[in-house]
């Protein structure tokens, strides 16, 4: 009886914690769900992908993954903090040249047409609702302090997973941001965290909007969403097209490979730069995270000029070596004749430069660790 009582108490405590802790976000309201019911890719309370997208999660399918996990891999993360290049930002952005600065994983600052745009600004120490749990950031520190960031014109999110949408980051950022642009349903999370509704623009796939003078298109991705045990696929996931006067950038978000890349390329390509997911993959979940070789093909499909591999270099979320994503992407890109840009975390890159950073900085660091 005592054991049963303790078990019930633990379950109730977990339910209460998930209900009250703001990091878990906010589910869409009944009124919002009624609106979603008119959308083609929304059925029975959840969003769906363009093509069938299943992950094998039964015990028999996941047993090899469990064995792989228990066996361990000493190279899943670096043995010491990886290097970063300190980032410095002026109060005014008067330079009209298009520049990008990578902060690890999928977090970017895009400077375009004199505007500043943050993509998936996850600046926390770990991708978790409880930051003291979970795999910690490889670099230990960011190349800047969030408090030192200048005013941000737009913050754009691809979906609501913890490694992309971080509660603590939003708390620190929200007073610096003029406008947030998110896929359907994600506004609820931001509103719970103190962002006024008038500063949030929600988009469905293929919506075209102009914010702060920057053209944005919410384009499909092949993924899923959710922040707790009961809200899987209750919000939308997406990729983004950013259009300035002289530059076009494609941001893949998280995605498995699919026909949407070619469709996006046909409608909005070519792109000066593609920010393409290449990490945290596994054969068991290839439908929602591309293999690096597929990353290169997706870049070709969207008609990209320069490819920037992302979704690596910050956190361990899969079982592969931490450098495998970029190494495999480079090898595939070389075979396909694709030009790849590989700056350090914190290094600012001019998109139209003839001298893009291509040094293999992680190899030197990796050799020190082995």
């Amino acid at each position: 009886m005592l054991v049963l009582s303790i078990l019930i108490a633990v379950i109730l405590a977990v339910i209460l914690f998930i209900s009250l802790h703001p990091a878990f976000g906010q589910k869409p309201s009944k009124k919002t769900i009624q609106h979603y019911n008119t959308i083609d890719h929304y059925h029975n309370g959840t969003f769906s992908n363009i093509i069938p997208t299943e992950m094998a999660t039964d015990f028999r399918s996941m047993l090899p993954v469990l064995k792989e996990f228990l066996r361990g891999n000493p190279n899943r993360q670096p043995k010491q903090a990886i290097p970063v290049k300190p980032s410095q930002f002026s109060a005014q952005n008067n330079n009209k040249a298009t520049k990008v600065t990578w902060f690890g994983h999928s977090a970017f600052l895009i400077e375009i047409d004199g505007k500043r745009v943050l993509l998936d600004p996850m600046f926390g120490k770990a991708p978790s609702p409880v930051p003291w749990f979970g795999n910690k950031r490889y670099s230990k520190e960011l190349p800047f302090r969030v408090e030192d960031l200048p005013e941000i014109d737009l913050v754009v999110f691809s979906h609501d997973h913890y490694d992309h949408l971080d509660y603590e980051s939003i708390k620190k950022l929200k007073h610096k941001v003029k406008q947030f642009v998110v896929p359907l349903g994600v506004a609820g999370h931001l509103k719970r965290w103190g962002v006024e509704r008038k500063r949030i623009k929600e988009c469905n796939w293929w919506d075209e909007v102009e914010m702060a003078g920057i053209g944005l298109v919410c384009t499909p991705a092949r993924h899923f969403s959710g922040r707790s045990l009961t809200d899987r696929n209750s919000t939308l996931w997406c990729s983004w097209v950013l259009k300035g006067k002289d530059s076009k950038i494609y941001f893949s978000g998280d995605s498995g490979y699919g026909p949407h890349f070619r469709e996006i390329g046909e409608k909005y390509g070519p792109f000066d730069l593609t920010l393409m997911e290449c990490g945290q993959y596994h054969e068991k979940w290839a439908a929602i995270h591309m293999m690096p070789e597929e990353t290169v093909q997706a870049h070709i499909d969207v008609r990209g000029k320069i490819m920037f591999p992302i979704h690596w270099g910050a956190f361990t979320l899969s079982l592969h070596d931490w450098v495998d994503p970029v190494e495999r992407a480079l090898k595939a890109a070389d075979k396909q004749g694709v030009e790849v840009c590989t700056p350090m975390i914190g290094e600012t890159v001019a998109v139209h430069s003839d001298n893009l950073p291509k040094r293999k900085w992680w190899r030197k660091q990796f050799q020190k660790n082995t």
Side-chain angles (χ1 to χ4, degrees):
M1 191 67 181
L2 178 61
V3 173
L4 180 60
S5 298
I6 293 173
L7 180 60
I8 293 173
V10 169
I11 293 173
L12 290 175
V14 169
I15 294 173
L16 190 63
F17 177 68
I18 292 175
S19 299
L20 298 180
H21 187 23
F24 290 99
Q26 183 69 50
K27 291 182 181 180
S29 66
K30 291 182 178 180
K31 182 178 180 180
T32 300
I33 290 173
Q34 288 178 348
H35 167 66
Y36 291 167
N37 283 327
T38 65
I39 297 172
D40 289 341
H41 47 275
Y42 188 83
H43 308 279
N44 300 319
T46 61
F47 288 97
S48 59
N49 286 290
I50 293 174
I51 60 175
T53 302
E54 297 181 2
M55 292 183 293
T57 57
D58 60 280
F59 180 76
R60 176 177 293 182
S61 297
M62 294 305 293
L63 184 58
V65 178
L66 179 60
K67 290 180 179 178
E68 191 177 346
F69 178 80
L70 293 175
R71 189 163 57 244
N73 177 2
N75 295 324
R76 286 181 68 205
Q77 57 189 31
K79 303 298 190 298
Q80 63 187 49
I82 64 173
V84 299
K85 188 169 184 177
S87 302
Q88 295 182 341
F89 311 105
S90 60
Q92 299 296 323
N93 182 24
N94 297 318
N95 191 335
K96 301 298 183 180
T98 303
K99 297 180 290 184
V100 301
T101 307
W102 183 46
F103 302 128
H105 208 59
S106 298
F108 277 87
L109 174 67
I110 310 293
E111 297 172 272
I112 182 170
D113 294 350
K115 305 295 184 180
R116 289 189 170 106
V117 183
L118 283 176
L119 302 180
D120 283 3
M122 194 295 187
F123 297 146
K125 293 184 179 297
S128 167
V130 186
W132 54 88
F133 289 106
N135 291 290
K136 300 298 187 288
R137 184 180 293 274
Y138 295 164
S139 61
K140 304 299 182 185
E141 301 294 336
L142 292 165
F144 64 94
R145 294 194 321 148
V146 176
E147 294 78 7
D148 294 336
L149 279 175
E151 188 175 58
I152 303 298
D153 295 286
L154 295 175
V155 169
V156 180
F157 285 106
S158 63
H159 63 299
D160 69 0
H161 285 159
Y162 291 102
D163 55 322
H164 297 260
L165 177 63
D166 178 62
Y167 167 59
E168 294 294 338
S169 298
I170 296 300
K171 285 206 308 181
K172 294 178 181 179
L173 276 173
K174 62 185 180 183
H175 302 296
K176 296 176 176 287
V177 179
K178 293 181 181 179
Q179 188 77 40
F180 293 83
V181 188
V182 301
L184 293 176
V186 177
H189 302 321
L190 299 181
K191 286 190 291 182
R192 184 176 182 184
W193 301 340
V195 179
E196 301 91 339
R197 185 64 181 87
K198 64 182 180 181
R199 285 199 290 146
I200 309 170
K201 174 65 177 178
E202 281 193 321
C203 295
N204 191 12
W205 288 342
W206 305 118
D207 282 352
E208 299 183 9
V209 297
E210 183 174 306
M211 310 296 295
I214 307 300
L216 295 169
V217 187
C218 179
T219 44
R222 190 183 179 200
H223 200 55
F224 70 109
S225 67
R227 295 180 71 84
S228 69
L229 300 175
T230 60
D231 67 345
R232 178 126 173 180
N233 294 345
S234 64
T235 65
L236 189 60
W237 50 94
C238 69
S239 56
W240 288 98
V241 171
L242 284 76
K243 298 188 291 184
K245 294 178 181 178
D246 302 310
S247 305
K248 276 198 295 184
I249 296 173
Y250 175 69
F251 173 51
S252 72
D254 282 6
S255 183
Y257 184 73
H260 60 284
F261 290 116
R262 185 173 297 277
E263 186 174 3
I264 292 166
E266 290 172 350
K267 288 185 176 182
Y268 299 106
F271 294 96
D272 300 290
L273 181 71
T274 69
L275 312 176
M276 301 297 291
E277 179 205 40
C278 76
Q280 318 318 319
Y281 52 82
H282 193 283
E283 291 178 358
K284 294 297 183 183
W285 52 83
I288 51 103
H289 282 297
M290 291 183 284
M291 297 293 183
E293 295 76 18
E294 293 175 317
T295 298
V296 176
Q297 185 59 53
H299 165 85
I300 295 171
D301 289 353
V302 299
R303 301 170 62 199
K305 179 182 177 183
I306 308 295
M307 188 183 86
F308 195 134
I310 68 172
H311 211 242
W312 76 284
F315 307 109
T316 295
L317 301 174
S318 188
L319 299 170
H320 54 66
D321 288 7
W322 76 277
V323 297
D324 272 3
V326 68
E327 290 285 1
R328 286 178 59 173
L330 283 173
K331 184 177 180 180
D334 185 59
K335 290 182 179 179
Q336 296 269 34
V338 168
E339 187 174 2
V340 180
C341 176
T342 56
M344 292 177 61
I345 292 172
E347 184 175 2
T348 298
V349 177
V351 171
H352 297 288
S353 171
D354 293 327
N355 189 27
L356 295 169
K358 298 179 181 180
R359 53 190 184 277
K360 292 50 171 194
W361 56 266
W362 60 91
R363 289 183 181 175
K364 181 178 179 181
Q365 180 70 15
F366 188 58
Q367 288 166 0
K368 288 180 180 179
N369 296 338
T370 56

